[in-house]
Amino acid sequence: MDGTLTESVQQVIRHYWGFDTLRPLQAEAIRAGVEHRDSLVVMPTGGGKSLCYQVPPLLERRTDIVVSPLISLMKDQVDGLQACGYPAEALHSGVDAPQQRRIEASVAAGEYRLVFVSPERLLSPSFMALMEHLDIRAFAIDEAHCISQWGHDFRPEYRKLATLKQRFPRASVHAYTATATGQVRDDIVEQLGLSDPNVLIGVFDRPNLVYRVLPRTDGAAQVLAVLDRHRSEAAIVYCITRKETEATATRLASNGIKAAAYHAGLDADQRRRTQDAFAEERIDVVAATVAFGMGIDRSNVRCVIHAAMPKSIEHYQQETGRAGRDGLEAECVAFYSAADVLKWQWLFERRAENADADEGDMDAHAGVVAAQVDLLRKMQRYCRALRCRHRALSEYFGQEYRQPNCGACDVCLGEVEGLVDATVESRKILSCVARVGQRFGIGHVVDVLAGADTERVRGLGHDQLSTAGILRDVPRKHLTTMVYELIDQGLLERTTGDRPVITLNDASWEVLRGLRQVRLPRRDVKRARRTTFDRESWEGVDRDLFERLREVRRDIARLRQVPAYVIFSDATLRDLARQRPTTIEELADIYGIGKQKQTDLGPRVIEEIARFTGGECRECS
Ligand code: ADP
Ligand code: ZN
């Protein structure tokens, strides 16, 4: 960027957002916006895409259009911008007719720098006429992967955006997405008809996220143990089924955690209420299916837990990406078990069967299931591999990772105790499978091994087997986990269908004949270590003051009916609790406080800090 442009960008980001520097690629993306060169900007969630289309219209004093797929996304962004004194509005189906007329009049008068619209609204004849009148020069397409059917979130209405370039030949089009695959990127460029676009691809690694992947032994207790490290902080717990989200939310609530369930089966009202409560920090934890995601912009999510294995690395990356969007440290813990793989497979097949009944396209659906199973296997491999998580993820998304030790994953932090020899126990398990004739499911085999005194065991005479009760010293949950781990490692087979039974394969026989050792993972969640990142970002922060300021933020947010992070991000609160400014002027040096917030929220903040530190408020006296 040349000198004058750099200078005016600096001025603008300082004034509106209280930022000092641009993040990687933001400068290039802003330049494309200023110079009207089409662009495709690919950055991971939290990378800072929005700033790239928010800055150019300020510099050029023009009105730009942002196309966004969800009302909640638009609303949150507009709330956030307005809190910074940035002139922006949104037009969507949630805006009533009189309000719409008012907004349209202001749009026509050129009062806004950004107008957010849904694709349907954008292409309506009246809005088209308005845009032609204003001679719109730039369009930003947010979540641009929605235009591609290869993406994980295809929206047919996005297809219509293909006409933009023809209808507004003088305008540039800028596409933004977090989707990493080449196929989707190419599709976006083609569908939108971008001409010689500047393609900017960011680094996908998120150094502020700590990844931990653990075998599930006692799911509920493990989830609680992780959340215990994040008391009264925001967390999301992802589950596979709707029922599990509800059970999890109930269990968390009974442990004194402010939690709610969220899934596609709830009505829109209920979902909105939960989203709002989460955004306004009235609840800390949401137990959700994948449905909870887009539209959740709370930037201070400190923890994302996968109570069960996600169905693909793409989903995992996206869902963990919701943690630490404010750039501060956050923890992502995934629990997995071979049971999850089987459950997903079963769900894929059932879904495909239902679709077949509707459409009768057997081949296509067999193909879809095969592709899903392939992604599932890759996810499973990621979980089981004992290699750096940051490296594994970067490489999966086609990017090199150069650090020998990331310092932010269970493997590099030395928490994985490695594999311990479990050959003896494994032989006992396998031999029990043989004794019951390879005709029973996991529950029954575990019953026999544990010496359970049940009618079924007695009735079948299985209490008389040489393997009955042979592992009675091992806790049941542990035994079940070991069976799943053996399946995971290909040392046992489990049939599919309604009543799956476990059977032996060649590898099992090698173990039984003493030709093969078995090593199973032993890991410990409780010993999670603090990362350097964690220590540094809390450096010098008065934690009590931080908590006090969080309450203040919550009060202001409630009063103004906006999400809490719109008022201040966690990074801002920490900086306040670190520097403890005593005058409004000093607020100018605080991260994330621009001119508007300085005058608008400054007095309240200074007063609170003064009260907290027991000093005189120099602004009041
Ligand atoms: P994305 O849309 O790529 O997911 P956002 O635009 O929401 O990411 O930005 C994520 C967070 O980073 C927001 O809290 C935003 O305020 C912050 N951010 C963006 N750019 C900068 C910057 N240059 N300096 C500091 N913080 C930034
Ligand atoms: Zn690592």
Side-chain angles (χ1 to χ4, degrees), residues 290-554:
V290 289
F292 188 69
M294 266 168 97
I296 291 311
D297 235 356
R298 183 166 170 177
S299 68
N300 63 346
V301 174
R302 296 268 77 86
C303 176
V304 168
I305 299 176
H306 283 93
M309 196 184 86
K311 60 179 161 178
S312 72
I313 294 185
E314 283 82 353
H315 283 88
Y316 174 70
Q317 166 86 3
Q318 214 194 17
E319 286 152 16
T320 53
R322 309 217 153 92
R325 292 185 60 168
D326 50 14
L328 300 174
E329 86 295 336
E331 178 178 21
C332 306
V333 183
F335 295 105
Y336 75 99
S337 150
D340 303 336
V341 177
L342 299 166
K343 187 183 244 166
W344 279 123
Q345 254 169 336
W346 184 78
L347 284 170
F348 295 160
E349 277 157 22
R350 216 183 47 163
R351 243 173 252 164
E353 275 163 24
N354 292 345
D356 288 343
D358 290 344
E359 295 157 34
D361 187 357
M362 294 295 278
D363 287 344
H365 289 293
V368 170
V369 173
Q372 286 172 327
V373 169
D374 183 49
L375 292 175
L376 188 67
R377 294 274 167 226
K378 287 180 174 138
M379 185 66 217
Q380 191 183 17
R381 230 168 287 147
Y382 167 83
C383 290
R384 293 202 310 221
L386 294 175
R387 56 193 294 256
C388 174
R389 314 288 176 192
H390 282 272
R391 173 182 299 272
L393 288 174
S394 292
E395 288 176 2
Y396 182 82
F397 291 110
Q399 297 188 333
E400 242 182 280
Y401 189 79
R402 292 229 169 84
Q403 257 159 275
N405 183 312
C406 76
C409 80
D410 50 355
V411 178
C412 293
L413 287 166
E415 292 167 5
V416 178
E417 305 244 291
L419 305 169
V420 292
D421 187 9
T423 311
V424 177
E425 291 92 334
S426 302
R427 282 170 77 172
K428 290 177 179 168
I429 294 171
L430 298 178
S431 117
C432 187
V433 174
R435 300 272 175 229
V436 300
Q438 307 186 48
R439 285 186 293 111
F440 293 88
I442 295 174
H444 183 72
V445 171
V446 168
D447 272 350
V448 175
L449 286 163
D453 183 21
T454 70
E455 217 163 279
R456 186 145 186 253
V457 171
R458 280 195 310 272
L460 289 159
H462 286 172
D463 53 335
Q464 302 303 315
L465 296 174
S466 59
T467 50
I470 197 171
L471 286 174
R472 63 161 56 85
D473 294 338
V474 182
R476 248 195 94 96
K477 273 183 183 142
H478 228 106
L479 268 180
T480 311
T481 305
M482 286 171 73
V483 174
Y484 277 119
E485 283 171 353
L486 291 173
I487 298 173
D488 251 357
Q489 297 204 7
L491 299 173
L492 253 183
E493 295 294 322
R494 190 189 197 218
T495 58
T496 52
D498 284 345
R499 317 191 89 227
V501 303
I502 41 178
T503 60
L504 303 175
N505 59 22
D506 292 346
S508 332
W509 286 109
E510 286 177 21
V511 175
L512 283 168
R513 293 200 190 99
L515 300 172
R516 190 169 171 147
Q517 279 200 334
V518 183
R519 291 166 69 77
L520 299 179
R522 284 282 162 273
R523 281 176 251 194
D524 188 359
V525 228
K526 290 184 207 95
R527 290 184 338 102
R529 299 191 180 150
R530 264 166 50 113
T531 60
T532 359
F533 204 91
D534 193 6
R535 282 193 298 268
E536 274 169 12
S537 59
W538 280 106
E539 197 78 60
V541 176
D542 181 328
R543 290 242 185 180
D544 293 332
L545 177 54
F546 173 77
E547 287 304 325
R548 175 66 204 128
L549 291 172
R550 272 187 77 189
E551 282 166 33
V552 173
R553 171 174 71 181
R554 213 162 18 230

Side-chain angles (χ1 to χ4, degrees), residues 14 16 135 158 166 185 210 218 237 241 267 305 307 396 452 456 546:
R14 176 78 245 169
Y16 284 96
D135 189 21
Y158 256 62
Q166 288 137 34
R185 284 177 205 154
V210 177
D218 178 346
V237 181
T241 65
D267 65 54
I305 299 176
Y396 182 82
R456 186 145 186 253
F546 173 77

